[in-house]
Amino acid sequence: MGVTAAVVGASGYGGGELLRLLLAHPEIEIGALAANTSAGLPVTDVHPNLPDLEGRVFTDAEALAAAEADVVFLALPHGQSAAVAATLPGTVRVVDLGADHRLADPQAWRRAYGGEHAGTWTYGMPELPGARARIAASRRVAAPGCYPTASTLALAPLLAAGLVEPKDLSVVAASGTSGAGRSAKVNLLGSEVMGDLTAYKVGTHQHRPEIVQALSGVAGTAVSLSFTPVLAPLPRGILATCSGRATVAGADPDAVYEALRAAYAGEPFVRVLPPGRWPHAAATLGGNAVHVQGTYDAESGRAIVVSAIDNLGKGAAGQALQCANLMLGLPETAGLTAQGIAP
Amino acid sequence: MGVTAAVVGASGYGGGELLRLLLAHPEIEIGALAANTSAGLPVTDVHPNLPDLEGRVFTDAEALAAAEADVVFLALPHGQSAAVAATLPGTVRVVDLGADHRLADPQAWRRAYGGEHAGTWTYGMPELPGARARIAASRRVAAPGCYPTASTLALAPLLAAGLVEPKDLSVVAASGTSGAGRSAKVNLLGSEVMGDLTAYKVGTHQHRPEIVQALSGVAGTAVSLSFTPVLAPLPRGILATCSGRATVAGADPDAVYEALRAAYAGEPFVRVLPPGRWPHAAATLGGNAVHVQGTYDAESGRAIVVSAIDNLGKGAAGQALQCANLMLGLPETAGLTAQGIAP
Amino acid sequence: MGVTAAVVGASGYGGGELLRLLLAHPEIEIGALAANTSAGLPVTDVHPNLPDLEGRVFTDAEALAAAEADVVFLALPHGQSAAVAATLPGTVRVVDLGADHRLADPQAWRRAYGGEHAGTWTYGMPELPGARARIAASRRVAAPGCYPTASTLALAPLLAAGLVEPKDLSVVAASGTSGAGRSAKVNLLGSEVMGDLTAYKVGTHQHRPEIVQALSGVAGTAVSLSFTPVLAPLPRGILATCSGRATVAGADPDAVYEALRAAYAGEPFVRVLPPGRWPHAAATLGGNAVHVQGTYDAESGRAIVVSAIDNLGKGAAGQALQCANLMLGLPETAGLTAQGIAP
Amino acid sequence: MGVTAAVVGASGYGGGELLRLLLAHPEIEIGALAANTSAGLPVTDVHPNLPDLEGRVFTDAEALAAAEADVVFLALPHGQSAAVAATLPGTVRVVDLGADHRLADPQAWRRAYGGEHAGTWTYGMPELPGARARIAASRRVAAPGCYPTASTLALAPLLAAGLVEPKDLSVVAASGTSGAGRSAKVNLLGSEVMGDLTAYKVGTHQHRPEIVQALSGVAGTAVSLSFTPVLAPLPRGILATCSGRATVAGADPDAVYEALRAAYAGEPFVRVLPPGRWPHAAATLGGNAVHVQGTYDAESGRAIVVSAIDNLGKGAAGQALQCANLMLGLPETAGLTAQGIAP
């Protein structure tokens, strides 16, 4: 007896990736597919890469309430999840790929996104300490953002092990363009982004409070973080260069690497690379993997961890499905892979 | 009880894609992995995108003879398959991703590749008339080249239906760089190919005789073909613009489209797009799909069909696995998908 | 005493490239810069690559009438040039980078673009027979489109020399994304175009009648042409693969190459490559060069010429400036270069 | 009466860009072009983008000694400049684009590059305090590396103004692939780099001591720096995200911006962007410009400056030519532009 999943916001990049994953999922059937601006369109008009959805048509979100689904994925622009979530029965599992329910502090949410805070859901990053059980027990889960996934998984083991100071953490993360969504903007045109690199929202990006919240939880104290996102000319992929000032313990040349290995032993989707190998975003393409590598840099006194993910995979749809698997009591890895497409 | 596959030439792009597919195959286990120049290296050093192969090490091809395998994939540079094949028992299924056994005419082979012709194996393009049964009955199959796959599947239905003349066919096909393999050449450097488009081997490409052979077989008469390959700045993907002079029957505005639909009805991996939609190479990324669309152009008197594939998928590893499935009596689609990764 | 140039539509890609060229022009000063939708904005907000225009602000086109200019460049979407041109004194030189005045046949224009035909101006491709003098004598010049430039300069010498039949010419031309302009469309997003190749407007592209007109003029008889444009993942550059059925004269192995050499001897911007070298779009980046190479393909009976240009250079702004130089009695090459930026 | 320039190492990317610049230089003629591995080859075989060099042939470096040149540019791999320089008369101006003569500390040089230190030349970054006059008075100038140019020009004004601490500076800089040169390496293939982002030489890159030396000179005390280079999928361009812990003076919200403005007022090639605008690498393509923007990030207590350059322009050939202009008493901007090619 299968499980049925509905997707709201199924015409965007995150929604489309989710559909691709669900099509290959051994236990989940695809139910209603809602996409307000594309309602009435054939799904394959928007996602020609998914021929197995031929015959399926987008509905609008209203139609969803009537539909039966065991799990509902919300892949909507921020500020739009709460209204849809309110129409769903409490018994239905809901995973929000958007930002609406990630932050616990309403003021932080308002500063980052504007508008009214819709409430806080369980934060869906299973690899954080204690998170797996919390997610499994939840009916409402907020899947993390793409930058927060890459950044948090890089720095959390170092904070947990006391290897870096909680203040003055630094993340410079380059991302492919799909992270900006499928909106027609001049600055996202191929003509503009190919051959370009640019920093944006320096010191003001809405993902910073989310990273700070997650890392503060791990550190047991408020962390501070400089965060600079960079737009890079590739469709998918994030490479995050993360660092913190090493404590005395962190100044041991092997400590950083060992902390990463210890933290992620047994994790199905986090791969600590062999010594001397640094992550390639391309190695994670299309999968749910996180690749990390770290070192202590004696000259600057900083511990440095570099991480790579597919921003639409572990950074969005893959992690959302990983959470759904946990919530539904399915194997955590069902329908997911740690393999990437290369070259 | 599973089937075991060995791969020779497992360190190249075609071999690496095959490993990725085999890892997800429900019935096949990965046996020996040979790669002469990388023998002794961990597989994940060469393919960091395949963490599930951690612990595996490349052997050399000699070690293969001793290994037990139900099917052996040869993913070697041309001219190297025959020697390896000679060491394998006749009972083992062998699929050659290289060019050694594709051509029936030894002279044509020598002109295209130089050296001695190694003999002709069953041509592994299941969608051609009668091919599926021939492949299933074979122990030795030559998987087609990437350009021939895109070109042949575009034009074959038109020739079979008598819609185009067999003489003066034309193919201009743009390909991503992985088609040129993982060899360190200056003209394939990222610095050279990004931002560039270039035609190469104009009128002399070794894939032309293969296309001519396949299409002549379908047409029942010798075809002639102009073939111009273009190197384009993407890692994977082929878009082939194929045309032929329309016969009287082909000048019917709907005939081309209907011929494509009829030829590929029920085919699991060939998708004739809805009218008005033209193929995108990106929609086939990572999958085994072929997307085609065609029309009759009254002004020039030509029937035009455009096709898109992933050159490492349906153009190499995917099609090889599709053939192996047939040879092994497994479901033809096992371990394969028609879905692509997008964006 | 310098010459002053005004640009209308200065915020687009063609307009921006023109500004870059004009900034380096030894004889021309930049006058009014009009851009209706960007009127009031600093020019460097739209073109941060042009810091020497700091302090300049876009005006609207109305302001132009009052401005004094010796030459006016119109870089507007099709259908908008005529209205602006009507406000300019007859004595002013005007070069239209848009399509409004390229076609002599009003019906052909209406079929291609819709709306009313605005009249026919001198066609601004100096390398065509007799064109240089006609341009120099004109006050109104229609600069050719990008695909027509690449296609016409490839095939014209063969038609003029009687080496190919006028019927059944074929052009498959891949272009970078800037050819589609700076309009915010989902299908032009970086996420969509990187990693993709797609054919579009197959048999219906508005540049076909322009190519047919130019080549028919050279051939002295009506030509017919199959034309398939392909969108490729690079910001700039066109590579056109052009062919025609060889006549008896064209079947001489050396005839094609010799015809190209003879036609373009002494031309400052057309480079016939050494034998065996095929054009690279990247080699023309940022310049006004056309690179061509050709051969006779005995197997298909076709003569094949491949050409490369920068679609914003020789395909738009460069050629427009080349025409303006001729119209103004300046050296034809002033402010232009045949060198490209590489890699 | 013109000046003659010779180039040694003229077949690489830096050398090729220098040739392009020299072709457009109003005062300099191109003399001998040496390229050992390409000696005897036509220059346009290697640089098809430079048709004006048709007829020129690469010589070997030995031939250079006999040639007359007023200025010699050495664009050689590190370790090879000293031997060539030793053959040149002391009266000839020499600009070394390589690393051999950049570092004052022989031990630092040996740690970074291995082999014997060849001596220290005047450091060729004209925008540093006092550097312009030193360069003009020198016969031997070491042109800076690409990462050092982007990093030093970003942080120097903050250090000079006392706005950041000299310890714990941080640079994460993404670079296009041409920075790695024209060597045939698998990891630089287009198939590998397109769609990828990767950090490399983390904490061990040979450009760190050069940045440290330059910034220590400005700060008047030894600085310490974390430096992480990232390889990004574009041919040219560097975007450097640079930061330092703000001092009390640096915590003034406007101080960073004002320091940049003050430092670079009147500089022809450094553009401090308008408030709110962040640098785009693409806006510097093909030019000698540096774009910078900076801010104070109160939350992390760091001052952040982002800079963009063309790594082959201001990061190599452009800056070398800027130095040569100074050494030769020519206008500093001769043959150079601050305009970039876009899109």
Side-chain angles (χ1 to χ4, degrees):
Chain A
M1 241 300 306
V3 168
T4 298
V7 180
V8 186
S11 64
Y13 290 146
E17 181 68 352
L18 195 52
L19 296 186
R20 187 179 71 84
L21 297 177
L22 291 173
L23 277 168
H25 197 289
E27 310 278 349
I28 301 185
E29 285 173 36
I30 298 179
L33 301 180
N36 281 344
T37 58
S38 300
L41 278 185
V43 173
T44 52
D45 273 15
V46 174
H47 301 303
N49 58 310
L50 303 178
D52 284 3
L53 291 175
E54 199 149 84
R56 297 294 307 266
V57 171
F58 291 117
T59 64
D60 56 22
E62 274 70 45
L64 190 77
E68 300 204 351
D70 300 289
V71 59
V72 176
F73 294 94
L74 306 178
L76 294 164
H78 67 74
Q80 301 188 10
S81 296
V84 177
T87 69
L88 299 171
T91 52
V92 171
R93 274 85 174 171
V94 184
V95 182
D96 187 358
L97 281 76
D100 287 18
H101 305 94
R102 291 179 194 153
L103 298 185
D105 177 355
Q107 289 193 340
W109 199 90
R110 278 193 295 267
R111 273 197 306 271
Y113 297 99
E116 211 43 47
H117 186 226
T120 310
W121 292 0
T122 303
Y123 194 63
M125 196 178 289
E127 294 84 2
L128 289 184
R132 193 163 265 120
R134 284 196 300 273
I135 295 165
S138 296
R139 298 271 155 158
R140 295 288 185 274
V141 166
C146 51
Y147 286 125
T149 298
S151 307
T152 302
L153 293 176
L155 289 172
L158 277 59
L159 287 162
L163 304 184
V164 293
E165 303 285 353
K167 296 296 178 190
D168 196 16
L169 303 170
S170 170
V171 173
V172 178
S175 173
T177 54
S178 62
R182 194 178 220 152
S183 50
K185 294 179 183 165
V186 167
N187 69 312
L188 296 175
L189 288 176
S191 298
E192 305 279 327
V193 298
M194 290 184 287
D196 194 25
L197 291 165
T198 187
Y200 66 103
K201 296 188 184 176
V202 180
T204 65
H205 195 281
Q206 68 275 10
H207 280 173
R208 173 155 67 173
E210 184 183 338
I211 305 170
V212 166
Q213 170 182 292
L215 291 178
S216 297
V218 171
T221 181
V223 307
S224 78
L225 170 78
S226 159
F227 176 58
T228 306
V230 170
L231 189 67
L234 66 169
R236 293 185 182 209
I238 287 180
L239 190 90
T241 300
C242 310
S243 69
R245 298 180 58 78
T247 59
V248 173
D252 170 349
D254 298 327
V256 171
Y257 189 73
E258 283 167 13
L260 294 172
R261 294 282 291 187
Y264 296 126
E267 281 295 344
F269 295 117
V270 186
R271 184 173 185 235
V272 183
L273 299 184
R277 306 255 161 197
W278 291 88
H280 288 260
T284 68
L285 179 70
N288 200 47
V290 186
H291 289 197
V292 295
Q293 179 60 282
T295 193
Y296 168 65
D297 179 50
E299 209 166 315
S300 65
R302 287 206 156 237
I304 300 175
V305 180
V306 176
S307 61
I309 60 168
D310 179 335
N311 58 296
L312 294 181
K314 181 67 176 172
Q319 189 153 247
L321 181 54
Q322 187 182 355
C323 290
N325 284 339
L326 289 168
M327 297 162 80
L328 291 161
L330 300 173
E332 182 176 342
T333 60
L336 294 167
T337 179
Q339 320 309 308
I341 313 279
Chain B
M1 241 302 307
V3 168
T4 298
V7 180
V8 185
S11 63
Y13 289 147
E17 180 67 354
L18 195 53
L19 296 185
R20 187 180 70 84
L21 296 177
L22 291 173
L23 278 169
H25 196 289
E27 310 279 350
I28 301 184
E29 285 174 36
I30 298 180
L33 301 180
N36 281 344
T37 56
S38 300
L41 278 185
V43 174
T44 52
D45 273 15
V46 174
H47 300 302
N49 58 310
L50 303 178
D52 284 4
L53 291 175
E54 198 149 86
R56 296 295 307 267
V57 171
F58 290 118
T59 64
D60 55 23
E62 274 70 46
L64 190 75
E68 300 204 351
D70 301 289
V71 59
V72 175
F73 295 95
L74 306 178
L76 295 164
H78 67 74
Q80 302 188 8
S81 296
V84 177
T87 68
L88 300 171
T91 51
V92 171
R93 274 86 174 169
V94 184
V95 182
D96 187 357
L97 283 75
D100 287 17
H101 305 93
R102 291 179 195 154
L103 297 186
D105 177 354
Q107 288 193 341
W109 199 90
R110 279 192 294 267
R111 272 196 307 271
Y113 298 99
E116 213 41 49
H117 186 226
T120 311
W121 293 359
T122 302
Y123 194 62
M125 197 179 288
E127 294 82 3
L128 290 184
R132 194 163 265 118
R134 284 195 299 274
I135 295 164
S138 297
R139 299 270 155 157
R140 296 287 185 275
V141 167
C146 51
Y147 286 125
T149 298
S151 306
T152 302
L153 293 176
L155 289 172
L158 276 58
L159 286 162
L163 303 183
V164 294
E165 302 286 353
K167 297 294 177 190
D168 196 16
L169 302 170
S170 170
V171 173
V172 178
S175 172
T177 54
S178 61
R182 195 179 220 153
S183 50
K185 295 179 183 164
V186 167
N187 69 311
L188 297 176
L189 288 176
S191 298
E192 304 279 327
V193 298
M194 290 186 286
D196 193 24
L197 291 165
T198 187
Y200 66 102
K201 297 190 184 174
V202 179
T204 65
H205 195 281
Q206 67 275 11
H207 280 175
R208 174 156 66 173
E210 184 182 339
I211 306 171
V212 166
Q213 170 180 292
L215 291 178
S216 296
V218 171
T221 182
V223 307
S224 78
L225 170 78
S226 159
F227 176 58
T228 305
V230 170
L231 190 68
L234 65 171
R236 293 185 181 209
I238 286 179
L239 189 89
T241 301
C242 310
S243 69
R245 297 180 58 78
T247 59
V248 173
D252 170 351
D254 298 328
V256 171
Y257 189 74
E258 283 167 13
L260 294 172
R261 294 283 289 187
Y264 296 125
E267 281 295 343
F269 295 118
V270 186
R271 184 173 186 236
V272 184
L273 299 183
R277 304 256 163 197
W278 291 89
H280 287 261
T284 68
L285 179 70
N288 200 47
V290 186
H291 289 197
V292 295
Q293 178 61 281
T295 192
Y296 168 65
D297 179 50
E299 209 166 314
S300 66
R302 288 207 156 237
I304 300 175
V305 180
V306 176
S307 61
I309 61 167
D310 180 335
N311 58 295
L312 294 181
K314 180 67 176 172
Q319 189 154 248
L321 181 53
Q322 187 182 354
C323 290
N325 284 339
L326 288 168
M327 297 163 79
L328 292 161
L330 300 172
E332 183 176 342
T333 59
L336 294 167
T337 179
Q339 320 309 309
I341 313 280
Chain C
M1 240 298 308
V3 170
T4 298
V7 180
V8 186
S11 62
Y13 290 146
E17 180 68 353
L18 196 52
L19 296 185
R20 187 180 70 85
L21 297 176
L22 291 172
L23 277 169
H25 196 288
E27 309 279 349
I28 301 184
E29 286 174 35
I30 298 179
L33 300 180
N36 282 343
T37 57
S38 301
L41 278 184
V43 173
T44 52
D45 274 15
V46 174
H47 301 303
N49 58 309
L50 303 177
D52 284 3
L53 291 175
E54 199 150 85
R56 296 294 307 267
V57 171
F58 291 117
T59 64
D60 55 23
E62 273 70 47
L64 190 77
E68 299 204 351
D70 301 288
V71 59
V72 176
F73 294 95
L74 306 178
L76 295 164
H78 67 75
Q80 302 189 7
S81 295
V84 177
T87 69
L88 300 170
T91 51
V92 172
R93 274 85 173 169
V94 184
V95 182
D96 187 358
L97 282 75
D100 287 18
H101 305 94
R102 292 178 195 154
L103 298 185
D105 177 355
Q107 288 192 340
W109 200 91
R110 279 192 295 267
R111 271 197 306 272
Y113 298 99
E116 214 41 49
H117 186 227
T120 311
W121 292 1
T122 302
Y123 194 62
M125 197 179 289
E127 294 83 1
L128 289 184
R132 193 163 265 119
R134 284 196 299 273
I135 295 165
S138 297
R139 298 272 154 158
R140 296 288 185 274
V141 166
C146 50
Y147 287 125
T149 298
S151 307
T152 302
L153 293 175
L155 289 172
L158 276 58
L159 286 162
L163 303 183
V164 294
E165 303 285 353
K167 297 296 177 189
D168 196 16
L169 302 170
S170 170
V171 173
V172 178
S175 172
T177 54
S178 61
R182 194 179 220 152
S183 50
K185 294 178 183 165
V186 167
N187 68 311
L188 297 175
L189 288 176
S191 298
E192 305 278 328
V193 298
M194 290 185 287
D196 194 24
L197 291 163
T198 187
Y200 65 103
K201 297 189 185 177
V202 179
T204 65
H205 195 280
Q206 67 275 11
H207 280 173
R208 173 155 67 173
E210 184 181 339
I211 305 170
V212 165
Q213 170 181 290
L215 290 178
S216 296
V218 171
T221 182
V223 308
S224 79
L225 171 77
S226 159
F227 176 58
T228 306
V230 170
L231 190 68
L234 65 171
R236 294 185 181 210
I238 286 180
L239 188 89
T241 300
C242 310
S243 69
R245 297 178 59 78
T247 59
V248 173
D252 170 351
D254 298 328
V256 171
Y257 189 74
E258 283 167 14
L260 294 172
R261 294 283 291 187
Y264 296 124
E267 281 296 341
F269 296 118
V270 186
R271 182 172 187 237
V272 183
L273 299 184
R277 305 258 163 197
W278 291 88
H280 287 261
T284 68
L285 180 70
N288 200 46
V290 186
H291 289 197
V292 294
Q293 178 59 282
T295 193
Y296 168 64
D297 179 49
E299 210 166 313
S300 65
R302 287 205 156 239
I304 300 175
V305 180
V306 176
S307 61
I309 61 168
D310 180 333
N311 58 296
L312 294 181
K314 181 66 175 171
Q319 190 154 247
L321 181 54
Q322 187 181 355
C323 290
N325 284 339
L326 289 168
M327 296 163 79
L328 291 161
L330 300 172
E332 184 177 341
T333 60
L336 294 167
T337 179
Q339 320 308 310
I341 314 279
Chain D
M1 239 303 304
V3 169
T4 298
V7 179
V8 185
S11 63
Y13 289 147
E17 180 68 353
L18 195 53
L19 296 185
R20 187 180 70 85
L21 296 176
L22 292 173
L23 277 169
H25 196 288
E27 310 279 349
I28 301 184
E29 285 173 37
I30 298 180
L33 300 180
N36 282 344
T37 58
S38 302
L41 278 185
V43 173
T44 52
D45 273 16
V46 175
H47 301 303
N49 58 311
L50 303 178
D52 284 4
L53 291 175
E54 198 149 84
R56 297 294 307 267
V57 171
F58 291 116
T59 64
D60 55 22
E62 274 69 46
L64 190 77
E68 299 205 351
D70 301 288
V71 59
V72 176
F73 295 95
L74 306 177
L76 294 163
H78 66 75
Q80 302 188 8
S81 296
V84 177
T87 69
L88 301 170
T91 52
V92 172
R93 275 85 174 170
V94 184
V95 182
D96 187 357
L97 282 75
D100 288 18
H101 305 94
R102 291 179 193 153
L103 297 185
D105 177 356
Q107 288 192 339
W109 199 91
R110 278 193 294 267
R111 272 197 306 270
Y113 298 98
E116 212 42 47
H117 186 227
T120 310
W121 292 1
T122 302
Y123 194 62
M125 197 179 288
E127 294 83 1
L128 289 184
R132 192 162 264 120
R134 284 195 299 273
I135 296 165
S138 297
R139 299 271 155 157
R140 296 288 185 274
V141 167
C146 50
Y147 287 124
T149 299
S151 308
T152 303
L153 292 176
L155 289 172
L158 277 58
L159 286 162
L163 303 184
V164 294
E165 303 285 353
K167 297 296 179 189
D168 195 15
L169 303 170
S170 170
V171 173
V172 178
S175 173
T177 54
S178 62
R182 194 178 219 153
S183 50
K185 294 179 184 166
V186 167
N187 69 312
L188 297 175
L189 289 176
S191 298
E192 304 280 327
V193 298
M194 290 186 285
D196 194 26
L197 291 164
T198 186
Y200 65 103
K201 296 188 184 176
V202 179
T204 65
H205 195 281
Q206 67 275 12
H207 280 174
R208 174 155 67 173
E210 184 182 339
I211 306 170
V212 166
Q213 171 181 292
L215 290 178
S216 297
V218 172
T221 182
V223 307
S224 78
L225 171 78
S226 159
F227 176 58
T228 306
V230 171
L231 189 68
L234 67 171
R236 293 185 181 210
I238 286 180
L239 188 90
T241 300
C242 311
S243 68
R245 298 179 58 79
T247 59
V248 173
D252 170 349
D254 298 327
V256 171
Y257 189 74
E258 283 167 13
L260 294 172
R261 295 282 291 186
Y264 295 126
E267 281 297 343
F269 296 117
V270 186
R271 183 171 186 238
V272 183
L273 299 184
R277 305 256 161 198
W278 291 88
H280 287 260
T284 69
L285 180 70
N288 201 47
V290 186
H291 288 198
V292 294
Q293 179 60 283
T295 192
Y296 168 65
D297 179 50
E299 209 166 314
S300 65
R302 286 205 158 239
I304 300 176
V305 180
V306 177
S307 60
I309 61 168
D310 180 335
N311 58 294
L312 294 181
K314 181 67 175 172
Q319 189 153 248
L321 181 54
Q322 187 182 354
C323 290
N325 285 338
L326 289 167
M327 295 161 80
L328 292 160
L330 299 173
E332 183 176 343
T333 60
L336 294 167
T337 178
Q339 319 309 310
I341 314 278

